Amino acid sequence: MPEQSQAPANWAPQRDGKGRFKPGQGGRPPGSRNKKPSAALTAVQSLSDLAIGKLAALIAQNSWPAIRYVLDMTLPRGGRTVDLDGTADPNELIAAVTSGEISPDEFARIAQGWKTAVDAAEMKEIKAQIDELEQLVSALRK
């Protein structure tokens, strides 16, 4: 981790009449970092080799919780990739569901994704039309 720049030796936060910090004047000098989280992170990182060794030993002993942990951490979340042959045909999706190629949940996620993409494209088109109308109105006013 790169070192942060050190604050001037004579730096002191400004306080108001009641002893509270003034706005923008925290208790820590500019550029300084809290050392406790940094030390904790270093301590945890130093244990990573040991933890990986223990995990490997548990997997070698066929420990299902360890195997499940590794699979949960390594497999992609949200399901699998579905190949749709590059077409945006809803009938292709329906056929894929009925043939068992994709699950109904996958169908729902794909359909929602398509709807979001279509909505975004329509919004982009509407914005372009509004910009064009504003240009026409401003040209008519001149």
Side-chain angles (χ1 to χ4, degrees), residues 5-112:
S5 62
Q6 297 296 323
N10 60 354
W11 182 87
Q14 300 293 317
R15 296 179 181 258
D16 64 11
K18 295 182 179 180
R20 297 176 298 194
F21 292 119
K22 288 184 177 180
Q25 297 289 318
R28 190 177 295 145
S32 68
R33 300 182 71 178
N34 188 346
K35 293 180 179 100
K36 287 183 183 178
S38 180
L41 179 62
T42 302
V44 169
Q45 287 173 339
S46 70
L47 297 174
S48 65
D49 290 338
L50 178 64
I52 290 171
K54 294 274 187 185
L55 185 59
L58 287 171
I59 290 171
Q61 297 170 6
N62 292 326
S63 167
W64 281 106
I67 293 168
R68 186 175 189 185
Y69 175 78
V70 169
L71 292 176
D72 286 346
M73 292 297 139
T74 56
L75 293 177
R77 298 190 194 278
R80 62 188 175 99
T81 302
V82 177
D83 184 17
L84 297 174
D85 299 326
T87 62
D89 182 12
N91 293 325
E92 178 187 351
L93 271 182
I94 293 168
V97 172
T98 56
S99 69
E101 237 178 286
I102 63 173
S103 71
D105 287 340
E106 289 171 323
F107 171 80
R109 284 195 301 259
I110 293 168
Q112 183 60 45

